[in-house]
Amino acid sequence: MAEAKIGQSTFFFPSRASITMLARLIVLVLLVLALGAGSSSHGEGSHAEMTPLQKHVAFFDRNGDGIVYPWETYTGFRALGFNVPTSFFAMVAINGALSYPTLESWIPSPRFPIYVKNIHRAKHGSDTGVYDHEGRFVPAHFEQLFAKFAGTHQDKLSLKEIMAMTRSNRDALDFFGWSAAKLEWGAAFQLVKDENGYASKQSIKGIYDGSLFYDVEIHLKTKRNKI
């Protein structure tokens, strides 16, 4: 089981700059809602049959029905130790941006559900390429992250190195992808950083397949029960 050093993490209310960036992301969500997605048949596989990208999202499917509603996203972020404002902004940005591409219909849903089995449709540009277009994990691309950007420690990344990585991965005119990448990696770093301000290779891999989320939730529950 990967150890997530949550005790050293600091969760704080978002600054004015972060709120502004999130507001811009929400505006860009309107562009996503104009995009379509093909339909696919129903039928959910077991967790073992899921792709790593589906497993990454499935943590937030709190009742296991294959659909992530906004309140489940909020609950999932709270379970990971994020505060109320951060969890609320994450709920709005994530379900607002990812719901429509994953739907089974061309008609938008006012409940903003995210269908886990269709999450590969919502894969944005300007990313690392660690997930392929079907949501499968690409080991070579994961190793390349550290070979190219881990300057201080070969198996760890600092926030500065992570932000350099997001800049390097930017696609031309992909404003939504730029913002989404920085928000995703910023939240991931806050979740797994150690006391020295680094995110380990093991922890980052655990985020990609979703396994770390469960470890963090158990860690926080155990910690609260001891108080």
Side-chain angles (χ1 to χ4, degrees):
M1 181 178 289
E3 181 181 0
K5 299 186 177 179
I6 305 304
Q8 289 85 17
S9 299
T10 302
F11 300 102
F12 48 84
F13 286 84
S15 65
R16 181 176 298 177
S18 64
I19 292 174
T20 300
M21 184 167 63
L22 280 165
R24 290 174 180 171
L25 176 60
I26 293 168
V27 171
L28 287 169
V29 164
L30 298 177
L31 297 176
V32 178
L33 296 178
L35 300 176
S39 62
S40 64
S41 58
H42 285 276
E44 305 296 333
S46 67
H47 193 270
E49 296 172 337
M50 290 181 175
T51 66
L53 180 56
Q54 290 170 339
K55 291 178 181 179
H56 172 85
V57 176
F59 171 80
F60 298 93
D61 177 15
R62 307 302 286 178
N63 63 2
D65 65 354
I67 304 172
V68 180
Y69 289 101
W71 52 89
E72 292 181 295
T73 301
Y74 174 85
T75 303
F77 269 80
R78 292 290 289 149
L80 292 174
F82 289 94
N83 59 28
V84 171
T86 301
S87 299
F88 178 80
F89 282 122
M91 174 190 73
V92 173
I94 291 172
N95 284 78
L98 303 185
S99 174
Y100 189 64
T102 70
L103 293 182
E104 301 283 81
S105 169
W106 289 92
I107 302 173
S109 171
R111 301 177 75 188
F112 291 95
I114 297 172
Y115 283 76
V116 175
K117 69 178 181 179
N118 297 330
I119 191 61
H120 61 282
R121 298 177 183 169
K123 186 175 177 292
H124 60 76
S126 301
D127 64 357
T128 60
V130 173
Y131 294 128
D132 66 13
H133 291 295
E134 296 298 321
R136 295 170 299 221
F137 184 78
V138 183
H141 290 177
F142 180 72
E143 294 297 333
Q144 188 177 17
L145 293 185
F146 292 87
K148 187 174 182 180
F149 298 103
T152 307
H153 303 282
Q154 64 178 7
D155 60 346
K156 296 180 181 180
L157 291 171
S158 67
L159 181 60
K160 182 178 179 181
E161 291 166 343
I162 287 174
M163 290 299 104
M165 176 188 67
T166 62
R167 289 193 298 271
S168 176
N169 291 333
R170 290 188 301 185
D171 297 328
L173 302 179
D174 180 23
F175 303 110
F176 175 79
W178 301 351
S179 300
K182 287 189 179 297
L183 285 170
E184 291 165 357
W185 278 101
F189 182 79
Q190 290 298 324
L191 186 63
V192 303
K193 68 177 181 179
D194 61 23
E195 68 276 10
N196 296 315
Y198 287 93
S200 72
K201 189 174 186 178
Q202 184 180 18
S203 294
I204 292 175
K205 188 173 183 180
I207 288 178
Y208 272 110
D209 65 16
S211 61
L212 183 72
F213 297 150
Y214 299 95
D215 293 344
V216 171
E217 183 177 21
I218 292 171
H219 173 90
L220 291 177
K221 283 182 177 179
T222 302
K223 185 177 178 180
R224 284 193 295 268
N225 291 336
K226 290 181 178 179
I227 297 176

